[in-house]
Amino acid sequence: MKRREFLAMASGVALTGCGGGGGGGDAPDSAAPSHAPSPAPSPTPSQAVIVLGAGMAGLAAARQLRDAGRSVIVLEARERIGGRLHTSRQWADAPLDLGATWIHGDNPSHPVGQLARQKGARLGQTQFGRDQVYDSDGRPASATVLGQLDQLGQAVRQAIRQGQDASSDAPLLQVIRQGTGFAQRSAQEQKLLNHIVNTQYEHEYIGEAAQMSALWFDSDQRISGNESLFLDGFNVLTDALAAGLDIRLGHVVNSVQHDAKGVIVATNKGLFTGACLLVTLPLGVLKSGQVSFSPALPADKQQAISGLGMGVLNKCYLRFGEAFWNIGADWLNAVPALDQPGRWGEWLSLARPTGQPILLGFNAAQFGREIESWRDQDIVADAMVTLRRIHGAQVPDPVSWQITRWASDPFAQGAYSFNAVGSTPSMRNDLAKPVGQVLYFAGEATDSQHFQTVHGAYLSGQRAAREILARPA
């Protein structure tokens, strides 16, 4: 199953590295191009479309509008473009994507795959079949354990099918546990069931299983194809889309006033007026209410914002002097103990696709949120407990690390959206609907078919651009 991650708009991470400097906030990327033009007068309502957010959705829309001859200004809260697409160049020989990593389902017709090839991006692939599973005792999983995982996985899928035949919604975790008879299972089976729920559902859809809608959590449309990653970082695409655009970095939006004549956007650096506004703020930011709208957004849009969920998937990159693990495996699955569900259960090895001795540990849902308050050193130490359990006490400390904290970031407030209990797919359509001919909306959360993906954000930006181009002059 594909691993969705962070994409589209304004986002954030904290970078540190032992022996390599660092600190809170975004690390400066010396190779990153500047997208801050010289100051210019704010546009009048008849002159410009204002876009909130220089992530994938905002840049896709701005690019299409600019190429159609429209005047466009992009307001971005961060001092960089990309939003939840963020390539770190802290390690000069190993660009790392701290947000979205893959083109999920890459094939000749994939919209982001096509863009990547047009821009000459170098791509590598990871494969789910290249995996190694370790039991909670640290030993490679036996044939018996692998058989149990397969049987329990089938039981989980059957429980979900039954839950989705129900007339009312329920939490995904409740449906799985009731349908698999979790309470009557042995401790070994419960431990394996917890691992399945965490790695195949919480890591995939990033909501806590106790909060996800059993009816609608997987209402997206899958694209079949490769799992392609960017060897030079995902930001090769955002940099290409941003070329020549008027992007105002460091502009934090506080409020939006709108009427039939246009919009007034108040930022920390002054007012901007425009004919219309495209909002690509992450769902988490919309939920926070840190940007006010006057008049208030329609009731159905407010219900969508409150009803949909915003999840967490954090990354912990560990760089070692050399690889001590099986570099033929792309994925390392470490089943946690029964009393530690969701703790360092899944790792990606970058050794084979990139040649670098780097492991990436994922944490989602409850544990992913919990560790955001920990010091970097404590997160790394906790991760090393798992790695030493499965590879031995002789495993050395990492030489450096990079860690994300997406829920804590004020311009992201989560990784990406999920369908929470009580929400419906139609809420995403409500979130996407324009308000009159003045306010337009894009971003992964607005795409009912491809939410949680970069291509969903990209397509939503193109859709919003078409809506704006169709409005009367």
Side-chain angles (χ1 to χ4, degrees):
M1 301 176 77
K2 67 188 180 188
R3 268 59 174 177
R4 273 64 164 295
E5 295 163 54
F6 336 127
L7 17 108
M9 214 305 286
S11 69
V13 297
L15 297 180
T16 63
C18 67
D26 290 344
D29 294 338
S30 59
S34 172
H35 297 282
S38 58
S42 298
T44 65
S46 62
Q47 290 178 324
V49 177
I50 300 176
V51 176
L52 299 190
M56 180 57 89
L59 292 175
R63 178 81 274 150
Q64 189 164 326
L65 291 167
R66 183 68 183 83
D67 289 349
R70 296 298 179 93
S71 175
V72 182
I73 284 183
V74 182
L75 302 179
E76 169 56 53
R78 299 203 163 277
E79 296 294 344
R80 61 169 178 81
I81 66 167
R84 285 171 283 168
L85 284 176
H86 181 26
T87 302
S88 166
R89 305 190 187 280
Q90 180 174 325
W91 299 337
D93 60 344
L96 299 178
D97 281 312
L98 301 171
T101 299
W102 288 275
I103 303 175
H104 293 301
D106 189 15
N107 64 55
S109 63
H110 194 290
V112 175
Q114 289 180 337
L115 179 64
R117 282 176 274 279
Q118 289 170 7
K119 303 305 179 183
R122 294 192 309 128
L123 301 176
Q125 279 80 40
T126 60
Q127 299 175 10
F128 293 123
R130 289 178 173 269
D131 64 336
Q132 174 70 61
V133 180
Y134 297 87
D135 205 345
S136 58
D137 61 4
R139 298 176 182 177
S142 65
T144 299
V145 171
L146 293 176
Q148 287 179 309
L149 281 168
D150 183 60
Q151 292 173 0
L152 292 170
Q154 293 180 42
V156 167
R157 291 188 289 274
Q158 177 60 26
I160 292 172
R161 285 192 291 269
Q162 292 175 348
Q164 292 183 333
D165 287 337
S167 58
S168 59
D169 202 0
L172 179 63
L173 183 61
Q174 174 183 316
V175 165
I176 290 174
R177 289 194 167 181
Q178 289 180 348
T180 60
F182 181 87
Q184 286 75 46
R185 296 277 186 173
S186 67
Q188 168 72 1
E189 290 174 321
Q190 289 182 349
K191 176 186 66 179
L192 296 178
L193 280 167
N194 284 341
H195 183 66
I196 291 169
V197 169
N198 178 244
T199 58
Q200 295 187 21
Y201 297 93
E202 292 182 328
H203 282 202
E204 175 93 1
Y205 296 95
I206 72 168
E208 293 183 30
Q211 298 176 356
M212 285 192 283
S213 164
L215 287 180
W216 303 115
F217 79 93
D218 60 349
S219 65
D220 59 326
Q221 183 180 84
R222 302 298 180 93
I223 300 178
S224 60
N226 294 325
E227 296 294 296
S228 297
L229 52 79
F230 288 78
L231 299 180
D232 299 309
F234 227 129
N235 282 152
V236 298
L237 296 194
T238 51
D239 287 345
L241 290 172
L245 296 179
D246 184 353
I247 301 175
R248 311 294 176 91
L249 300 178
H251 281 64
V252 180
V253 174
N254 302 311
S255 66
V256 173
Q257 297 182 50
H258 59 99
D259 58 24
K261 297 179 181 179
V263 296
I264 301 175
V265 180
T267 78
N268 61 324
K269 297 185 178 180
L271 299 179
F272 290 79
T273 60
C276 63
L277 176 73
L278 172 58
V279 179
T280 72
L281 300 174
L283 177 64
V285 174
L286 292 174
K287 280 179 169 293
S288 74
Q290 65 192 60
V291 178
S292 64
F293 291 83
S294 179
L297 296 176
D300 59 351
K301 199 173 290 290
Q302 292 189 48
Q303 290 168 1
I305 291 169
S306 63
L308 294 168
M310 188 68 172
V312 173
L313 181 64
N314 277 315
K315 294 181 171 183
C316 175
Y317 284 101
L318 301 179
R319 180 167 189 156
F320 297 90
E322 60 182 10
F324 54 80
W325 59 93
N326 174 13
I327 63 174
D330 289 347
W331 292 95
L332 309 178
N333 278 270
V335 177
L338 182 59
D339 62 349
Q340 294 184 329
R343 198 177 188 118
W344 303 108
E346 190 169 45
W347 294 82
L348 172 69
S349 167
L350 294 178
R352 187 187 64 82
T354 71
Q356 299 291 350
I358 298 170
L359 287 174
L360 167 56
F362 294 94
N363 285 297
Q366 182 176 350
F367 186 65
R369 289 184 185 274
E370 176 187 333
I371 62 175
E372 291 206 6
S373 64
W374 295 11
R375 298 183 311 153
D376 279 11
Q377 292 85 346
D378 295 331
I379 293 173
V380 172
D382 199 65
M384 292 305 299
V385 171
T386 293
L387 292 179
R388 288 179 173 132
R389 185 179 76 240
I390 65 178
H391 287 294
Q394 76 283 355
V395 169
D397 287 332
V399 297
S400 191
W401 61 77
Q402 298 189 49
I403 294 170
T404 69
R405 292 177 174 86
W406 290 99
S408 303
D409 184 87
F411 304 122
Q413 303 208 27
Y416 44 89
S417 65
F418 68 92
N419 288 341
V421 177
S423 68
T424 64
S426 64
M427 287 183 173
R428 297 186 183 275
N429 296 326
D430 292 336
L431 189 58
K433 284 190 304 188
V435 176
Q437 295 175 338
V438 178
L439 297 185
Y440 297 82
F441 293 81
E444 57 87 15
T446 71
D447 194 295
S448 61
Q449 293 185 322
H450 304 292
F451 57 93
Q452 304 185 324
T453 66
V454 177
H455 55 271
Y458 181 67
L459 292 171
S460 77
Q462 292 184 323
R463 180 261 306 156
R466 292 192 298 270
E467 293 171 346
I468 292 170
L469 290 171
R471 68 188 292 274

